[in-house]
Amino acid sequence: MSVTETGATIWLTGLPSAGKTTIAYELAGRLRGEGHRVEVLDGDEIREFLSAGLGFSREDRHTNVQRIGFVAELLAANGVKVLVPVIAPYADSRDAVRKRHQSEGTAYLEVHVATPVEVCSERDVKGLYAKQAAGEISGLTGVDDPYEAPESPDLRIESHRQTVQESAAELYALLSERGAA
């Protein structure tokens, strides 16, 4: 790592099966290939290891997002590009993470992977939409639980209109423009 390596948190928010994690790993590969220090804080892994025991109430979701935001800021402040593909359904939770980064002087970008619920439901990577439709689960973000889409994200990606590589390239361009790639 060069002494001037700049860290940043890149938060990818969107509905379940929107493509957040896929885009994050695609971009991570490109950044690592260029010699950047990169971490992906995958929402499922965080729930298993850092936020075990939390449910899906509004309060628990907020706590989960704040924990992830804390870890992301810590890594980013130490020169790591941190890709965070986590739903973070509530605007106030995302705003609190942004404010934490701002108060610490750490770069933060919010990316809305704006895939319509119909497309997400067809993709249904984890089978959540099918389970919700069958009445096996409730509280699915964007279906029977709220999702507050960002009003003015740093970037809005319509993953259903382009390839994963194109989505990652669009995000890479933003990082370059902001001096973080």
Side-chain angles (χ1 to χ4, degrees):
M1 177 179 111
S2 71
V3 218
T4 58
E5 180 78 21
T6 304
T9 294
I10 302 96
W11 198 292
L12 294 91
T13 179
L15 297 174
S17 297
K20 301 176 300 296
T21 303
T22 305
I23 294 166
Y25 278 108
E26 179 71 24
L27 179 59
R30 179 173 180 178
L31 291 170
R32 282 188 186 111
E34 293 179 356
H36 295 280
R37 293 172 58 202
V38 180
E39 288 296 334
V40 177
L41 299 182
D42 181 279
D44 293 333
E45 291 174 359
I46 294 290
R47 277 223 173 248
E48 182 179 349
F49 297 108
L50 186 64
S51 294
L54 289 180
F56 291 90
S57 68
R58 184 180 178 106
E59 182 180 326
D60 282 357
R61 288 176 192 251
H62 179 77
T63 299
N64 185 48
V65 168
Q66 297 317 296
R67 287 178 182 175
I68 297 167
F70 173 80
V71 171
E73 194 282 323
L74 192 63
L75 289 166
N78 285 282
V80 178
K81 309 279 188 280
V82 186
L83 302 169
V84 185
V86 173
I87 295 169
Y90 301 109
D92 61 347
S93 295
R94 295 190 306 267
D95 289 344
V97 171
R98 179 186 293 276
K99 284 178 182 149
R100 172 177 186 74
H101 280 71
Q102 287 171 340
S103 72
E104 298 296 327
T106 307
Y108 178 86
L109 298 170
E110 182 178 71
V111 178
H112 181 206
V113 182
T115 309
V117 69
E118 300 78 24
V119 175
C120 295
S121 177
E122 287 170 19
R123 290 179 181 170
D124 205 8
V125 179
K126 299 172 195 157
L128 297 174
Y129 292 92
K131 287 179 181 175
Q132 191 277 337
E136 295 171 27
I137 62 168
S138 63
L140 181 59
T141 302
V143 178
D144 61 350
D145 210 54
Y147 176 73
E148 299 169 356
E151 290 181 18
S152 52
D154 295 285
L155 178 64
R156 190 175 320 277
I157 294 175
E158 295 189 357
S159 72
H160 58 294
R161 299 188 191 276
Q162 58 194 21
T163 66
V164 171
Q165 294 74 20
E166 289 168 336
S167 295
E170 196 176 355
L171 184 46
Y172 182 88
L174 175 67
L175 292 178
S176 295
E177 175 188 307
R178 302 282 175 94

